[in-house]
Amino acid sequence: MIKSKYIAFDFRLNEVKMSKKKSNFQKNGFVYLIIASTIFALILSSLSNPFSASTEISVTETLEMIADGKVKEVVVQGEKLTIIAKDGSKYFSSKESGISLLELMKDSGIDPLKNDANIVVKGRSGWGTAFNILFSFLPIIFFGGLILFMMRQAQGGANQTFGFGKSKARKFTENKSGVTFKDVAGVEEEKIELAEIVEFLQEPAKFIKLGAKVPKGVLLVGPPGTGKTLLAKAVAGEAAVPFYSISGSEFVEMFVGVGASRVRDLFGQAKINSPCIIFIDEIDAVGRHRGSGLGGGHDEREQTLNQILVEMDGFESGGFNIIIIAATNRPDILDPALLRPGRFDRRVVLDVPDMKSRTEILKVHSQGKPIEDGVDLSKLSEQTPGFSGADLANLMNESAILAARRKKDKIGHDDFAESIDRVLAGPAKMSKILSKQTIKVTACHEVGHALCGHLLPEADSPVKVSIISRGHMGGYTRFLPDDETALQTKKQLEARIVVALGGRAAEEVVLGEITTGASNDMEQATKIARTMIMKFGMSDILGPRTMGKREETVFLGREVSEQKDYSESLASVIDEEVKELITSAYEKSKSLIKDNIEILNNVVDYLIINETIEGETLTKLLSTQS
Ligand code: ADP
Ligand code: MG
Ligand code: ZN
């Protein structure tokens, strides 16, 4: 995410300007060419047709006029006759070639000697003819010019192609990025780590004196939206050294070898400006495990990666003071060579923020947003477990937009509450009209989830039930973990399956009918059960071992296929175990609901009227036996 505040310098600043000028000139030249030829053509046409406005008459009429003595002068130019009458009007006419005007006059009985018409004969090779010839060449000149222009353009294109090898890194100079460590909240240790690295660059002597080697690379690792890019930009803002920023994907281009040449160019620039920092965002785009690409070791990415490795080794011997910061959310797929000591030997791990950090991040993003008194940001962060920094920024922004739409001048509690739901599930669909039966089923289903969560001590507690439809959901129930940082026990995971199936169980128990609404719940339940058995070794029969290897497809980083590293007979045991987990969980949720059917019915009635039940009201309702 690049804010428009950023003042970015392009490496090729001069070149870009030059080529821009050139193309301006070319364009202007082209315009001049058109204007000039238009003017030229106009002049020509007016010259060769000086009396184009005058009337055209036939030869016979001309001769009659001469005979009547109305003509003062006739100018003969080849076949063209220009007649100037005594009253001043002009005519023109054309005769056949091969016969002169005098002969024509004689033929029609006019004696040229007696007639007072002045006959002027101008040669064919006069200006007019010359212009005529030129005029007929004009289109050729024009198109010639056009072709020349197009050839030049094409050449410019070729020059651009050759410029591909230049790195596209943007150079941020000190404090121009506008982001500083103050803008990054809730990552204190990580900031200290990075600040130390900046110090390495600014005062290397301090460390070298003690025999310490300046670290070469820092890898920022963390899920999307946790502030990796932001943190790197803050380093740019804090460091008093040049900062080059490029995204991994910018190395990958249409032509093979471009990536490697860009890397060379980037490091070349960096070496000239040492000490400096290079930031490679999303390095997994090029840093993928070598040998996994199609086409063996000649994959474009691999060449690029090899070049990065070579360059990183290179500036050790050169004594250059350069630190590379790279960011990725997929450290698992990076080539081990990148991670060995001497390359990206330091790792800064950013994680989804905990409650305290969330409060800090909310504080940062609430700056410049008027908030109603009594809104507690730490309460807000309590309600948003699992939100990344980007989600929180989004939440703040959504709330402000909502408050503005509601024509308030301060952001209030209900704006925040609605925005949390929006960020999680999408905007409410108020206009959607549902049948009474659907509303009843939805309410039953959601209260089923909530009730199971409430009754099971190991399960997360429900904080909100709603039958307002959002996105694909007809309704939803939100839970909050009691302790979001703790490790999960087997009991908790089992309880989660029970809660997930609580919706379907309620449908079956109360309405005696099951619906399609529970498909996502079952998917989740199955996923939890499978991971419990295959990844966490929580099966009594199979014991503590993992099963299946996750595999990446080469080009689609997201798509995960599973490699079987177990036998067919084991596969059927896994299936059995999953089935066992799910069936017993379903039985459990059905019995929970059967035993508390009155509570459920009460809450359902309340929910149908109120659409949403939240917080303490919900806890109270779920605990009251009528
Ligand atoms: P990443 O690169 O890790 O995917 P970004 O650095 O692009 O994430 O973060 C996206 C946005 O989320 C940032 O621009 C910022 O507004 C917000 N954000 C993320 N983490 C933090 C944080 N720790 N403090 C403040 N804002 C944050
Ligand atoms: Mg990023
Ligand atoms: Zn459900």
Side-chain angles (χ1 to χ4, degrees):
M1 204 226 52
I2 292 173
K3 286 187 183 153
S4 53
K5 267 200 290 192
Y6 271 75
I7 300 169
F9 294 97
D10 196 295
F11 264 169
R12 299 184 293 162
L13 201 60
N14 291 332
E15 265 178 59
V16 168
K17 264 198 179 154
M18 258 168 58
S19 64
K20 238 190 192 160
K21 253 187 204 158
K22 211 157 111 198
S23 72
N24 266 347
F25 175 75
Q26 279 175 355
K27 267 180 209 153
N28 287 346
F30 185 53
V31 172
Y32 291 147
L33 195 73
I34 291 176
I35 293 174
S37 43
T38 315
I39 292 172
F40 194 54
L42 278 175
I43 293 171
L44 276 186
S45 62
S46 67
L47 272 179
S48 62
N49 257 339
F51 308 117
S52 57
S54 49
T55 342
E56 183 160 359
I57 53 174
S58 71
V59 182
T60 327
E61 281 171 312
T62 313
L63 292 171
E64 273 169 14
M65 278 176 73
I66 296 171
D68 293 349
K70 285 179 187 165
V71 177
K72 188 178 159 212
E73 191 179 75
V74 182
V75 182
V76 185
Q77 240 178 321
E79 284 92 52
K80 283 206 177 90
L81 306 174
T82 310
I83 304 110
I84 301 165
K86 281 181 179 154
D87 58 7
S89 50
K90 289 163 195 164
Y91 306 90
F92 79 91
S93 175
S94 52
K95 62 176 179 66
E96 293 163 57
S97 58
I99 182 161
S100 75
L101 183 65
L102 290 178
E103 278 169 330
L104 281 170
M105 282 166 77
K106 274 178 195 160
D107 286 355
S108 51
I110 304 167
D111 188 351
L113 298 172
K114 281 184 185 159
N115 198 288
D116 59 350
N118 192 10
I119 312 287
V120 183
V121 180
K122 279 191 179 169
R124 217 181 230 276
S125 56
W127 267 109
T129 323
F131 279 139
N132 265 347
I133 293 168
L134 249 180
F135 201 54
S136 56
F137 273 116
L138 207 69
I140 299 176
I141 297 172
F142 178 78
F143 283 110
L146 198 70
I147 288 168
L148 215 74
F149 168 74
M150 269 156 56
M151 270 163 66
R152 277 195 175 191
Q153 280 293 88
Q155 250 176 17
N159 282 340
Q160 270 167 25
T161 315
F162 296 131
F164 270 170
K166 291 276 161 55
S167 98
K168 282 186 175 168
R170 296 162 295 270
K171 181 181 170 187
F172 298 103
T173 34
E174 308 129 50
N175 275 326
K176 288 267 170 66
S177 68
V179 180
T180 61
F181 279 153
K182 270 209 294 283
D183 299 304
V184 194
V187 284
E188 295 314 316
E189 293 85 356
E190 290 79 2
K191 277 199 261 185
I192 292 170
E193 179 91 11
L194 286 168
E196 189 181 287
I197 280 160
V198 173
E199 211 180 315
F200 265 121
L201 283 184
Q202 283 160 359
E203 294 178 75
K206 198 163 117 188
F207 298 92
I208 291 167
K209 207 166 60 188
L210 295 172
K213 260 195 198 151
V214 176
K216 244 191 251 176
V218 185
L219 194 62
L220 296 175
V221 180
T226 45
K228 299 179 295 293
T229 309
L230 188 72
L231 200 55
K233 280 175 181 164
V235 172
E238 297 280 339
V241 295
F243 186 91
Y244 294 94
S245 165
I246 194 166
S247 167
S249 59
E250 285 172 84
F251 289 124
V252 187
E253 210 45 91
M254 189 165 64
F255 301 114
V256 176
V258 168
S261 120
R262 280 202 178 143
V263 172
R264 268 194 298 277
D265 186 57
L266 173 65
F267 280 83
Q269 292 278 343
K271 279 176 192 167
I272 296 168
N273 292 295
S274 152
C276 67
I277 298 171
I278 296 174
F279 173 51
I280 305 175
D281 205 356
E282 315 285 350
I283 196 174
D284 43 289
V286 284
R288 210 168 259 276
H289 220 295
R290 279 173 294 179
S292 65
L294 294 185
H298 299 286
D299 190 62
E300 162 71 349
R301 265 197 216 95
E302 302 199 351
Q303 286 191 20
T304 311
L305 175 58
N306 283 335
Q307 192 62 41
I308 293 178
L309 297 178
V310 168
E311 294 286 351
M312 285 186 82
D313 286 342
F315 56 71
E316 185 165 36
S317 48
F320 296 106
N321 211 353
I322 302 170
I323 285 179
I324 305 173
I325 301 176
T328 179
N329 47 14
R330 308 290 319 273
D332 51 316
I333 61 162
L334 289 184
D335 195 279
L338 265 178
L339 303 175
R340 77 146 167 79
R343 290 197 180 124
F344 289 101
D345 40 12
R346 291 217 171 183
R347 275 197 192 201
V348 173
V349 180
L350 294 164
D351 212 344
V352 176
D354 58 9
M355 209 196 99
K356 194 169 146 276
S357 303
R358 285 200 300 273
T359 316
E360 307 272 304
I361 296 172
L362 283 172
K363 254 183 216 153
V364 166
H365 288 282
S366 66
Q367 262 156 29
K369 295 188 178 76
I371 291 175
E372 261 173 30
D373 297 336
V375 173
D376 189 355
L377 288 184
S378 61
K379 280 268 160 56
L380 202 57
S381 88
E382 246 170 50
Q383 303 223 313
T384 49
F387 273 45
S388 69
D391 291 331
L392 292 169
N394 186 19
L395 169 65
M396 266 293 167
N397 193 42
E398 284 287 331
S399 311
I401 290 171
L402 211 58
R405 204 183 291 157
R406 289 169 172 171
K407 299 201 167 51
K408 299 204 264 184
D409 40 277
K410 280 187 176 171
I411 309 169
H413 183 266
D414 46 337
D415 303 319
F416 285 118
E418 168 68 15
S419 298
I420 294 177
D421 290 341
R422 261 170 191 254
V423 172
L424 283 174
K429 290 185 177 161
M430 293 298 193
S431 58
K432 204 167 178 174
I433 296 163
L434 301 169
S435 69
K436 269 207 165 126
Q437 178 62 16
T438 310
I439 293 173
K440 169 96 185 168
V441 176
T442 312
C444 245
H445 179 107
E446 296 308 332
V447 177
H449 285 305
L451 190 63
C452 289
H454 179 74
L455 293 172
L456 281 177
E458 298 87 14
D460 302 334
S461 346
V463 288
K464 183 169 182 172
V465 191
S466 164
I467 50 164
I468 298 171
S469 59
R470 289 170 190 279
H472 290 301
M473 302 178 216
Y476 78 115
T477 314
R478 213 167 76 215
F479 295 87
L480 273 192
D482 301 325
D483 180 2
E484 55 179 271
T485 52
L487 285 171
Q488 305 232 303
T489 63
K490 185 179 173 187
K491 273 216 171 103
Q492 279 174 328
L493 290 173
E494 278 170 353
R496 197 173 278 177
I497 302 178
V498 175
V499 174
L501 297 174
R504 162 61 70 91
E507 285 174 37
E508 196 183 327
V509 172
V510 179
L511 308 164
E513 182 105 74
I514 51 176
T515 68
T516 54
S519 63
N520 184 46
D521 296 341
M522 289 179 306
E523 214 176 287
Q524 281 200 24
T526 314
K527 202 171 144 200
I528 299 170
R530 282 194 85 86
T531 27
M532 277 174 74
I533 289 159
M534 296 176 70
K535 198 173 163 198
F536 300 133
M538 284 178 175
S539 154
D540 295 332
I541 299 174
L542 295 164
R545 62 160 290 190
T546 63
M547 278 147 279
K549 239 188 208 159
R550 277 152 49 95
E551 230 184 36
E552 293 291 328
T553 48
V554 178
F555 292 112
L556 306 167
R558 274 183 173 273
E559 202 161 290
V560 177
S561 60
E562 206 184 65
Q563 195 192 345
K564 265 191 177 175
D565 62 353
Y566 46 86
S567 66
E568 285 301 320
S569 60
L570 203 58
S572 65
V573 181
I574 294 172
D575 287 343
E576 278 301 310
E577 285 284 278
V578 170
K579 191 178 153 207
E580 166 63 27
L581 261 179
I582 291 191
T583 343
S584 64
Y586 191 49
E587 288 309 317
K588 173 103 189 175
S589 48
K590 274 201 289 194
S591 75
L592 279 174
I593 284 161
K594 268 183 201 149
D595 295 345
N596 297 278
I597 189 99
E598 275 171 16
I599 298 182
L600 185 115
N601 281 331
N602 266 345
V603 185
V604 167
D605 291 343
Y606 189 92
L607 184 61
I608 290 174
I609 299 166
N610 292 284
E611 292 196 321
T612 303
I613 316 174
E614 241 180 307
E616 274 162 30
T617 325
L618 182 62
T619 320
K620 222 161 118 197
L621 277 171
L622 286 171
S623 330
T624 355
Q625 204 88 37
S626 62

